[in-house]
């Protein structure tokens, strides 16, 4: 039979054998996990290069469109300035004399109207407002 020391040695040996097999199993699983991770990274790297090329071309096209938009914006600003200048010129050339002519014709009509209607009171075709009896505001 086994002595106490031999039995203790056997238990320790079995414990170490179980521990070593558990560590070996864990290391094998870790090696498989690292292998899968490296495969995923490699696949991602293979797919990333074409995606980056596509993104680069897309950004280049967007920059070209922005350049065209800048040109259009500058041209619209020029057109806006030209329209503003034309409006100012038209207002000063046509607007001033037109206002003066309208004021003159109004004055002439008013003068002729006062001359013809000196003997008359209010014109019969114009409606007259009735005065309020109480002299207060709205209720």
């Amino acid at each position: 039979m086994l002595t106490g020391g031999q039995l203790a040695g056997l238990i320790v040996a079995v414990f170490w054998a179980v521990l070593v097999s558990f560590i070996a199993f864990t290391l094998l699983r870790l090696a498989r996990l690292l292998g899968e991770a490296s495969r995923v990274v490699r696949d991602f790297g293979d797919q990333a290069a074409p995606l980056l090329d596509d993104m680069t071309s897309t950004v280049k096209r967007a920059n070209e469109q922005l350049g065209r938009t800048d040109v259009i914006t500058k041209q619209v600003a020029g057109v806006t300035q030209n329209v503003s200048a034309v409006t100012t010129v038209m207002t000063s050339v046509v607007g001033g004399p037109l206002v003066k002519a309208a004021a003159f014709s109004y004055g002439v009509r008013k003068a002729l109207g006062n001359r013809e209607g000196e003997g008359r009171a209010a014109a019969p075709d114009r409606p007259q407002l009735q005065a309020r009896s109480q002299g207060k505001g709205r209720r």
Side-chain angles (χ1 to χ4, degrees):
M1 202 71 186
L2 295 175
T3 65
Q6 291 175 342
L7 184 61
L10 183 64
I11 291 173
V12 169
V14 169
F15 173 74
W16 279 109
V18 169
L19 182 65
V20 167
S21 63
F22 177 73
I23 290 174
F25 178 73
T26 305
L27 287 176
L28 285 174
R29 301 257 333 222
L30 184 61
R32 286 185 198 154
L33 178 65
L34 289 176
E36 288 292 320
S38 64
R39 187 175 58 86
V40 167
V41 168
R42 187 177 11 172
D43 290 344
F44 180 73
D46 292 344
Q47 294 174 0
L51 287 175
L52 289 175
D53 292 340
D54 290 344
M55 287 176 46
T56 302
S57 64
T58 302
V59 168
K60 285 180 183 178
R61 286 189 210 134
N63 284 335
E64 289 173 5
Q65 294 299 325
L66 285 175
R68 291 178 186 158
T69 304
D70 287 342
V71 171
I72 291 170
T73 304
K74 288 178 184 177
Q75 291 175 352
V76 167
V79 168
T80 303
Q81 289 176 348
N82 291 341
V83 167
S84 176
V86 168
T87 302
T88 304
V89 167
M90 290 302 289
T91 301
S92 64
V93 169
V94 175
L98 190 62
V99 168
K100 289 178 184 178
F104 178 74
S105 66
Y106 176 76
V108 168
R109 279 189 313 210
K110 192 72 168 175
L112 291 177
N114 284 344
R115 196 176 212 194
E116 292 175 358
E118 284 179 358
R120 287 189 276 171
D125 58 343
R126 296 182 89 191
Q128 297 295 319
L129 294 176
Q130 298 293 325
R132 293 187 181 152
S133 61
Q134 296 177 353
K136 294 183 180 177
R138 292 185 180 181
R139 294 185 184 187

